[in-house]
């Protein structure tokens, strides 16, 4: 999405000249390496859930949804690098129809990654809320059928929204919609957390009797959310500054960090699987069985 995710090169020349901050350029090898690691790690998460029946539950399906979002964010950069490489080698005509179409598809993957992460984290928050405060009814409320329906709706909506945002990327309302989803998700989860805190105070004895796994899941969500905010917020701010103050030298100074902000996004895809493994003994055990297949058997 050229208007939304174009790098520092799109900044007005006068703003760049007035700014004392040269663009921070990182080697493409860094982007490519982090992206490859992110894809492989999240692919392992998906394979672990697919191959281990003990992990085929709503909670892990929601985690798989987040893993797919992370993987799309990494694939975006890999495909972009390949496209740039072919163009530099002369196999693609600059600004040609194929390159424009491919660029739009790749940008759609990037938007899909952000939207998928937002909705996946939101649905995980709802799942944790139900687990804690409706533990006895959880399995009747969060069924596998409802889980599949919810994820289908989420990804259908995200795909349609991603395509729409790319098509209308040069319109200010599109940029506002794109950037507003990030704080809206934070407000939604914050409200859910406040409600959980108020209920926890009035049901302290009931909460203390819940299995540790239920509360542990809420803590895991908090860590995932914190990492997501840390990795994505700088880029969302970059988009807002590019839209509303592209000629301001102070905005240009911040936007010179575009590649650093992009690296943070890809690091999100690398960090999340470590959080799953660290917080979930079941998933960690599944990873070990996949890596050391000669020592472990799938049936346990």
């Amino acid at each position: 999405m050229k208007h939304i995710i174009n790098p520092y090169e799109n900044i007005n020349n006068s703003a760049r000249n007035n700014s004392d901050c040269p663009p921070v350029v990182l080697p493409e090898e860094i982007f490519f390496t982090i992206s490859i690691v992110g894809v492989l790690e999240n692919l392992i998460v998906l394979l672990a859930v697919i191959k281990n029946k003990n992990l085929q539950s709503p909670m892990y399906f929601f985690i798989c949804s987040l893993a797919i979002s992370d993987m799309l964010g990494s694939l975006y950069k890999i495909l972009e690098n390949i496209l740039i490489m072919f163009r530099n080698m002369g196999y693609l005509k600059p600004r040609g129809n194929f390159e424009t179409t491919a660029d739009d598809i790749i940008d759609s993957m990037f938007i899909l990654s952000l939207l998928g992460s937002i909705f996946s984290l939101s649905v995980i928050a709802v799942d944790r809320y139900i687990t804690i405060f409706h533990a006895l009814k959880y399995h009747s409320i969060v069924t596998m059928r409802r889980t599949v329906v919810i994820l289908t709706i989420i990804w259908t909506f995200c795909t349609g929204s991603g395509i729409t945002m790319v098509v209308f990327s040069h319109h200010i309302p599109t940029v506002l919609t794109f950037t507003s989803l990030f704080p809206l998700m934070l407000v939604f989860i914050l409200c859910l957390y406040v409600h959980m805190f108020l209920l926890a105070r009035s049901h302290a004895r009931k909460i203390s009797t819940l299995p540790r796994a239920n509360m542990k899941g809420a803590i895991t969500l908090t860590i995932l959310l914190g990492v997501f905010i840390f990795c994505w917020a700088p880029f969302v701010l970059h988009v807002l500054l590019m839209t509303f103050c592209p000629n301001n030298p102070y905005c240009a100074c911040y936007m010179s960090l575009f590649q650093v902000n992009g690296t943070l996004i890809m690091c999100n895809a690398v960090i999340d699987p470590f959080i799953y493994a660290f917080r979930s003994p079941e998933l960690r055990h599944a990873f070990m069985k996949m890596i050391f297949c000669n020592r472990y058997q799938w049936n346990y």
Side-chain angles (χ1 to χ4, degrees):
M1 236 156 75
K2 300 171 185 58
H3 182 65
I4 289 183
I5 62 176
N6 255 10
Y8 183 72
E9 284 74 8
N10 283 344
I11 301 172
N12 185 280
N13 286 330
S14 62
R16 188 183 304 175
N17 293 334
N18 293 330
S19 173
D20 295 328
C21 306
V24 178
V25 180
L26 301 178
E28 286 297 325
E29 291 79 8
I30 293 180
F31 291 99
F32 199 75
T33 301
I34 297 176
S35 299
I36 290 292
V37 173
V39 170
L40 293 177
E41 286 186 359
N42 286 281
L43 187 60
I44 290 175
V45 172
L46 297 178
L47 291 176
V49 175
I50 291 173
K51 297 184 68 174
N52 194 335
K53 292 184 178 180
N54 295 331
L55 298 179
Q56 293 176 6
S57 63
M59 178 182 69
Y60 286 107
F61 273 38
F62 294 141
I63 287 178
C64 283
S65 177
L66 184 58
I68 292 173
S69 302
D70 289 338
M71 193 160 58
L72 286 173
S74 297
L75 281 173
Y76 153 80
K77 191 59 183 179
I78 293 174
L79 295 178
E80 183 184 60
N81 284 353
I82 293 175
L83 190 66
I84 293 174
M85 181 181 66
F86 281 140
R87 184 181 63 187
N88 293 339
M89 294 173 63
Y91 293 112
L92 291 178
K93 180 181 179 182
R95 307 291 182 179
N97 292 331
F98 177 81
E99 183 184 6
T100 302
T101 302
D103 190 56
D104 287 341
I105 294 174
I106 293 172
D107 289 342
S108 296
M109 291 176 59
F110 179 84
I111 304 302
L112 187 59
S113 173
L114 176 59
L115 295 178
S117 296
I118 288 174
F119 285 102
S120 295
L121 285 168
S122 298
V123 76
I124 290 174
V126 174
D127 178 74
R128 293 301 87 200
Y129 175 86
I130 296 174
T131 301
I132 294 174
F133 294 104
H134 301 280
L136 297 178
K137 298 180 180 179
Y138 176 81
H139 293 292
S140 61
I141 297 175
V142 187
T143 63
M144 286 299 299
R145 181 177 179 181
R146 288 177 180 173
T147 299
V148 173
V149 170
I150 290 171
L151 291 178
T152 301
I153 293 174
I154 285 175
W155 282 100
T156 301
F157 174 79
C158 290
T159 302
S161 299
I163 295 173
T164 303
M165 287 183 179
V166 169
V167 174
F168 299 100
S169 61
H170 288 79
H171 296 76
I172 297 298
T174 304
V175 180
L176 291 176
T177 301
F178 174 79
T179 54
S180 64
L181 288 173
F182 187 83
L184 285 175
M185 178 211 65
L186 299 183
V187 171
F188 169 74
I189 296 181
L190 179 61
C191 291
L192 205 60
Y193 269 48
V194 170
H195 188 55
M196 288 169 64
F197 174 75
L198 294 176
L199 284 178
R201 288 187 62 186
S202 60
H203 298 81
R205 182 174 299 178
K206 181 180 178 181
I207 296 297
S208 64
T209 61
L210 289 176
R212 286 187 59 190
N214 291 5
M215 296 304 297
K216 191 175 182 180
I219 297 174
T220 301
L221 170 63
T222 304
I223 298 173
L224 289 171
L225 182 62
V227 172
F228 176 77
I229 295 172
F230 177 80
C231 292
W232 280 91
F235 172 78
V236 174
L237 178 59
H238 173 95
V239 174
L240 290 174
L241 295 180
M242 181 183 289
T243 303
F244 295 106
C245 61
N247 300 323
N248 187 296
Y250 295 103
C251 295
C253 189
Y254 177 83
M255 287 186 283
S256 67
L257 300 174
F258 177 84
Q259 291 196 2
V260 177
N261 297 337
T263 304
L264 284 176
I265 292 175
M266 287 179 288
C267 285
N268 186 198
V270 175
I271 296 172
D272 280 353
F274 282 103
I275 297 174
Y276 308 147
F278 180 75
R279 300 293 302 177
S280 172
E282 296 85 1
L283 198 53
R284 183 167 62 249
H285 191 62
F287 291 161
M288 294 295 290
K289 287 188 291 185
M290 291 186 64
I291 297 173
F292 304 104
C293 54
N294 58 325
R295 295 184 181 183
Y296 296 88
Q297 299 298 322
W298 279 103
N299 296 321
Y300 67 93

PDB file of all heavy atoms in Angstrom, residues 25-38:
ATOM      1  N   VAL A  25      19.470   2.988   7.392  1.00  0.00           N
ATOM      2  CA  VAL A  25      19.384   1.911   6.405  1.00  0.00           C
ATOM      3  C   VAL A  25      20.001   0.643   6.984  1.00  0.00           C
ATOM      4  O   VAL A  25      21.154   0.649   7.419  1.00  0.00           O
ATOM      5  CB  VAL A  25      20.101   2.301   5.092  1.00  0.00           C
ATOM      6  CG1 VAL A  25      19.999   1.166   4.083  1.00  0.00           C
ATOM      7  CG2 VAL A  25      19.512   3.589   4.526  1.00  0.00           C
ATOM      8  N   LEU A  26      19.215  -0.408   6.992  1.00  0.00           N
ATOM      9  CA  LEU A  26      19.681  -1.705   7.488  1.00  0.00           C
ATOM     10  C   LEU A  26      19.941  -2.641   6.316  1.00  0.00           C
ATOM     11  O   LEU A  26      19.240  -2.577   5.304  1.00  0.00           O
ATOM     12  CB  LEU A  26      18.645  -2.328   8.431  1.00  0.00           C
ATOM     13  CG  LEU A  26      18.284  -1.511   9.679  1.00  0.00           C
ATOM     14  CD1 LEU A  26      17.210  -2.233  10.476  1.00  0.00           C
ATOM     15  CD2 LEU A  26      19.510  -1.265  10.542  1.00  0.00           C
ATOM     16  N   PRO A  27      20.924  -3.520   6.430  1.00  0.00           N
ATOM     17  CA  PRO A  27      21.197  -4.479   5.344  1.00  0.00           C
ATOM     18  C   PRO A  27      19.976  -5.360   5.071  1.00  0.00           C
ATOM     19  O   PRO A  27      19.285  -5.791   6.002  1.00  0.00           O
ATOM     20  CB  PRO A  27      22.364  -5.305   5.896  1.00  0.00           C
ATOM     21  CG  PRO A  27      22.989  -4.450   6.946  1.00  0.00           C
ATOM     22  CD  PRO A  27      21.866  -3.657   7.554  1.00  0.00           C
ATOM     23  N   GLU A  28      19.720  -5.598   3.800  1.00  0.00           N
ATOM     24  CA  GLU A  28      18.590  -6.451   3.428  1.00  0.00           C
ATOM     25  C   GLU A  28      18.724  -7.858   3.994  1.00  0.00           C
ATOM     26  O   GLU A  28      17.733  -8.550   4.211  1.00  0.00           O
ATOM     27  CB  GLU A  28      18.468  -6.513   1.900  1.00  0.00           C
ATOM     28  CG  GLU A  28      17.925  -5.246   1.257  1.00  0.00           C
ATOM     29  CD  GLU A  28      16.504  -4.942   1.691  1.00  0.00           C
ATOM     30  OE1 GLU A  28      15.718  -5.889   1.888  1.00  0.00           O
ATOM     31  OE2 GLU A  28      16.190  -3.743   1.844  1.00  0.00           O
ATOM     32  N   GLU A  29      19.970  -8.281   4.226  1.00  0.00           N
ATOM     33  CA  GLU A  29      20.185  -9.614   4.780  1.00  0.00           C
ATOM     34  C   GLU A  29      19.544  -9.759   6.167  1.00  0.00           C
ATOM     35  O   GLU A  29      19.078 -10.840   6.536  1.00  0.00           O
ATOM     36  CB  GLU A  29      21.691  -9.906   4.889  1.00  0.00           C
ATOM     37  CG  GLU A  29      22.396 -10.079   3.559  1.00  0.00           C
ATOM     38  CD  GLU A  29      22.699  -8.772   2.867  1.00  0.00           C
ATOM     39  OE1 GLU A  29      22.495  -7.704   3.492  1.00  0.00           O
ATOM     40  OE2 GLU A  29      23.125  -8.797   1.695  1.00  0.00           O
ATOM     41  N   ILE A  30      19.498  -8.657   6.927  1.00  0.00           N
ATOM     42  CA  ILE A  30      18.870  -8.702   8.250  1.00  0.00           C
ATOM     43  C   ILE A  30      17.384  -8.961   8.120  1.00  0.00           C
ATOM     44  O   ILE A  30      16.819  -9.828   8.803  1.00  0.00           O
ATOM     45  CB  ILE A  30      19.125  -7.380   9.005  1.00  0.00           C
ATOM     46  CG1 ILE A  30      20.614  -7.244   9.331  1.00  0.00           C
ATOM     47  CG2 ILE A  30      18.282  -7.315  10.279  1.00  0.00           C
ATOM     48  CD1 ILE A  30      20.953  -5.958  10.067  1.00  0.00           C
ATOM     49  N   PHE A  31      16.727  -8.206   7.226  1.00  0.00           N
ATOM     50  CA  PHE A  31      15.303  -8.408   7.002  1.00  0.00           C
ATOM     51  C   PHE A  31      15.014  -9.829   6.535  1.00  0.00           C
ATOM     52  O   PHE A  31      14.083 -10.482   7.025  1.00  0.00           O
ATOM     53  CB  PHE A  31      14.785  -7.413   5.945  1.00  0.00           C
ATOM     54  CG  PHE A  31      14.763  -5.993   6.395  1.00  0.00           C
ATOM     55  CD1 PHE A  31      15.777  -5.118   6.037  1.00  0.00           C
ATOM     56  CD2 PHE A  31      13.728  -5.508   7.177  1.00  0.00           C
ATOM     57  CE1 PHE A  31      15.764  -3.799   6.450  1.00  0.00           C
ATOM     58  CE2 PHE A  31      13.699  -4.184   7.592  1.00  0.00           C
ATOM     59  CZ  PHE A  31      14.718  -3.336   7.226  1.00  0.00           C
ATOM     60  N   PHE A  32      15.813 -10.285   5.590  1.00  0.00           N
ATOM     61  CA  PHE A  32      15.566 -11.597   4.997  1.00  0.00           C
ATOM     62  C   PHE A  32      15.758 -12.707   6.030  1.00  0.00           C
ATOM     63  O   PHE A  32      14.959 -13.636   6.118  1.00  0.00           O
ATOM     64  CB  PHE A  32      16.511 -11.815   3.801  1.00  0.00           C
ATOM     65  CG  PHE A  32      16.055 -12.882   2.857  1.00  0.00           C
ATOM     66  CD1 PHE A  32      15.013 -12.646   1.989  1.00  0.00           C
ATOM     67  CD2 PHE A  32      16.662 -14.128   2.849  1.00  0.00           C
ATOM     68  CE1 PHE A  32      14.585 -13.628   1.114  1.00  0.00           C
ATOM     69  CE2 PHE A  32      16.237 -15.114   1.983  1.00  0.00           C
ATOM     70  CZ  PHE A  32      15.200 -14.871   1.108  1.00  0.00           C
ATOM     71  N   THR A  33      16.808 -12.602   6.843  1.00  0.00           N
ATOM     72  CA  THR A  33      17.080 -13.629   7.856  1.00  0.00           C
ATOM     73  C   THR A  33      15.980 -13.684   8.903  1.00  0.00           C
ATOM     74  O   THR A  33      15.472 -14.758   9.250  1.00  0.00           O
ATOM     75  CB  THR A  33      18.435 -13.356   8.541  1.00  0.00           C
ATOM     76  OG1 THR A  33      19.469 -13.350   7.556  1.00  0.00           O
ATOM     77  CG2 THR A  33      18.728 -14.425   9.578  1.00  0.00           C
ATOM     78  N   ILE A  34      15.596 -12.514   9.428  1.00  0.00           N
ATOM     79  CA  ILE A  34      14.534 -12.475  10.439  1.00  0.00           C
ATOM     80  C   ILE A  34      13.230 -13.007   9.864  1.00  0.00           C
ATOM     81  O   ILE A  34      12.479 -13.739  10.537  1.00  0.00           O
ATOM     82  CB  ILE A  34      14.347 -11.038  10.970  1.00  0.00           C
ATOM     83  CG1 ILE A  34      15.617 -10.557  11.679  1.00  0.00           C
ATOM     84  CG2 ILE A  34      13.155 -10.965  11.923  1.00  0.00           C
ATOM     85  CD1 ILE A  34      15.547  -9.124  12.154  1.00  0.00           C
ATOM     86  N   SER A  35      12.942 -12.666   8.611  1.00  0.00           N
ATOM     87  CA  SER A  35      11.701 -13.127   7.976  1.00  0.00           C
ATOM     88  C   SER A  35      11.692 -14.648   7.827  1.00  0.00           C
ATOM     89  O   SER A  35      10.676 -15.296   8.107  1.00  0.00           O
ATOM     90  CB  SER A  35      11.540 -12.464   6.603  1.00  0.00           C
ATOM     91  OG  SER A  35      11.458 -11.062   6.722  1.00  0.00           O
ATOM     92  N   ILE A  36      12.812 -15.221   7.399  1.00  0.00           N
ATOM     93  CA  ILE A  36      12.892 -16.681   7.239  1.00  0.00           C
ATOM     94  C   ILE A  36      12.689 -17.376   8.577  1.00  0.00           C
ATOM     95  O   ILE A  36      11.930 -18.354   8.692  1.00  0.00           O
ATOM     96  CB  ILE A  36      14.258 -17.083   6.637  1.00  0.00           C
ATOM     97  CG1 ILE A  36      14.350 -16.635   5.175  1.00  0.00           C
ATOM     98  CG2 ILE A  36      14.461 -18.593   6.728  1.00  0.00           C
ATOM     99  CD1 ILE A  36      13.423 -17.371   4.240  1.00  0.00           C
ATOM    100  N   VAL A  37      13.349 -16.862   9.619  1.00  0.00           N
ATOM    101  CA  VAL A  37      13.198 -17.453  10.956  1.00  0.00           C
ATOM    102  C   VAL A  37      11.761 -17.350  11.429  1.00  0.00           C
ATOM    103  O   VAL A  37      11.206 -18.297  12.001  1.00  0.00           O
ATOM    104  CB  VAL A  37      14.150 -16.751  11.957  1.00  0.00           C
ATOM    105  CG1 VAL A  37      13.883 -17.241  13.382  1.00  0.00           C
ATOM    106  CG2 VAL A  37      15.601 -17.011  11.588  1.00  0.00           C
ATOM    107  N   GLY A  38      11.121 -16.199  11.188  1.00  0.00           N
ATOM    108  CA  GLY A  38       9.730 -16.017  11.592  1.00  0.00           C
ATOM    109  C   GLY A  38       8.797 -16.998  10.907  1.00  0.00           C
ATOM    110  O   GLY A  38       7.896 -17.564  11.537  1.00  0.00           O
TER     111      GLY A  38
END
